[in-house]
Amino acid sequence: MKPILLQGHERSITQIKYNREGDLIFSVAKDTVANVWYSVNGERLGTYNGHTGALWCVDCDWDTKNVLTGSADNSCRLWDCETGKQLAMLNTSSAVRTCGFDFSGNIIMFSTDKQMGYQCFLNYFDLRDPQQIEDNQPYLTVPCAESKITSAVWGPLGEFVIAGHENGEINQFSAKVHTLTRSHTNTEACMRAPAVLDDCVITFSVADLFDSTTLDHIKSFKTERPVNSAAISPIMDHVVMGGGQEAMEVTTTSTRIGKFEARFFHAAYEEEFGRVKGHFGPINCVAFHPDGKSYSSGGEDGYTRIHHFDPQYFDFELEA
């Protein structure tokens, strides 16, 4: 399982995202550029230039027509995926932490940070209404006064957004009316970047699996190091997690002690069955290919690694 190394960022990776077909992979980092790559060989196709601050999030719509990015320069931007042309810029009062298209590609959501005296907001825009974009006025804004949103994804059928908060809460926010539909409090840790597949959502830093509709707790995957990201296999009962020692302590720790491996768990039995090494710092994000036969990881070392494998015949190095 020799990885493909993607070198296109100068700072640590913050998020990676596959398109629906899986032939493209998008990556953003704490620099000002969003990159798009061929997932089969790691060739860089191009960049989306325009942001002036660190990029925190990226998403691609269902038919790979548009790309959405959120940045610390207080803007969320819409791009033409093929040409790299900026189609729209939505200005905010604080950094954009999360963003995403719904399944139709017509509705976008993004959340802003609680900073500089501004509270956290979850905003919804309908791209079919040019007036909303021109006036920079969302059709729905949900304030989150108690704790900022650290990660958010669309739920099944695009009826609501599942958001994880800094204080450990997991909430469902309706995309149609100003209401909180369901809430769950997880006092152990906040949700960094949840992974959703069908009717399940996984959260971390202690990795927990929840039902995405009822928010009932299903499984827990325990590790001795912080977990920064997790993804659910689309074809197997597998979960991959990435993390490692805190970034501020990395300079005093070897790669082995820091435990910077991607770790595979069985989703039903909660047992770890494999680890993949490679990164020289904590892993910030992981994502499975839509066909389930490869996964990617982005790390604090600024590299993105694509690992191709047969999920039925793992050849991982297990730690004794």
Side-chain angles (χ1 to χ4, degrees):
M1 192 173 66
K2 186 176 181 180
I4 300 174
L5 188 64
L6 311 183
Q7 304 180 62
H9 293 284
E10 298 176 353
R11 300 185 64 188
S12 57
I13 309 297
T14 53
Q15 190 174 17
I16 51 179
K17 181 83 70 169
Y18 283 96
N19 66 340
R20 179 173 61 94
E21 293 82 3
D23 59 328
L24 300 180
I25 183 171
F26 300 86
S27 64
V28 292
K30 291 181 181 178
D31 52 22
T32 61
V33 176
N35 289 325
V36 56
W37 319 75
Y38 272 129
S39 63
V40 66
N41 58 8
E43 177 186 353
R44 182 161 66 173
L45 292 176
T47 60
Y48 303 96
N49 298 300
H51 282 288
T52 58
L55 275 77
W56 292 114
C57 51
V58 63
D59 196 21
C60 178
D61 63 5
W62 184 259
D63 55 3
T64 321
K65 182 180 179 181
N66 296 322
V67 176
L68 190 67
T69 55
S71 171
D73 63 3
N74 297 357
S75 72
C76 184
R77 308 192 187 206
L78 184 68
W79 311 83
D80 184 286
C81 181
E82 183 177 0
T83 65
K85 179 182 177 182
Q86 181 177 300
L87 302 178
M89 181 174 69
L90 303 170
N91 292 308
T92 62
S93 300
S94 57
V96 176
R97 181 65 56 171
T98 66
C99 67
F101 289 95
D102 75 339
F103 295 103
S104 70
N106 295 323
I107 308 295
I108 63 171
M109 66 83 185
F110 63 86
S111 67
T112 58
D113 277 353
K114 182 179 180 181
Q115 60 182 193
M116 299 184 296
Y118 296 98
Q119 65 173 318
C120 170
F121 289 98
L122 179 61
N123 299 303
Y124 297 91
F125 282 84
D126 191 333
L127 298 180
R128 295 168 294 186
D129 184 0
Q131 197 65 38
Q132 291 185 23
I133 307 300
E134 183 178 344
D135 297 341
N136 200 29
Q137 290 294 327
Y139 75 85
L140 181 63
T141 298
V142 181
C144 304
E146 294 185 2
S147 180
K148 77 172 185 179
I149 294 175
T150 55
S151 186
V153 291
W154 284 94
L157 304 178
E159 296 180 349
F160 54 83
V161 166
I162 305 170
H165 297 257
E166 198 173 33
N167 62 358
E169 286 187 351
I170 306 171
N171 293 322
Q172 290 178 357
F173 295 101
S174 172
K176 299 178 181 179
V177 293
H178 189 293
T179 181
L180 174 66
T181 59
R182 191 168 280 105
S183 178
H184 176 89
T185 300
N186 177 13
T187 57
E188 292 184 354
C190 65
M191 183 164 73
R192 288 287 300 276
V196 173
L197 183 67
D198 294 334
D199 57 350
C200 294
V201 58
I202 192 165
T203 68
F204 23 86
S205 17
V206 176
D208 291 312
L209 190 68
F210 292 87
D211 185 288
S212 62
T213 302
T214 64
L215 294 186
D216 292 336
H217 182 265
I218 301 175
K219 298 288 183 179
S220 292
F221 309 97
K222 298 180 180 180
T223 65
E224 70 282 0
R225 295 290 180 177
V227 179
N228 295 332
S229 183
I232 306 170
S233 171
I235 62 172
M236 304 289 286
D237 293 329
H238 297 160
V239 172
V240 61
M241 299 188 299
Q245 190 179 25
E246 295 292 343
M248 66 180 66
E249 302 174 1
V250 169
T251 54
T252 61
T253 307
S254 70
T255 56
R256 180 173 179 84
I257 298 176
K259 300 187 183 299
F260 304 138
E261 308 99 338
R263 308 176 67 166
F264 283 79
F265 284 77
H266 195 283
Y269 302 118
E270 305 178 8
E271 295 178 351
E272 182 181 2
F273 60 85
R275 299 186 184 185
V276 179
K277 299 180 179 180
H279 284 282
F280 298 98
I283 296 175
N284 291 335
C285 47
V286 293
F288 266 108
H289 190 285
D291 68 5
K293 296 183 179 180
S294 67
Y295 84 96
S296 298
S297 58
E300 196 74 22
D301 54 10
Y303 298 123
T304 300
R305 295 172 178 266
I306 302 176
H307 300 263
H308 294 275
F309 61 92
D310 188 332
Q312 298 186 21
Y313 302 98
F314 287 100
D315 185 20
F316 295 147
E317 178 183 347
L318 290 172
E319 187 172 288

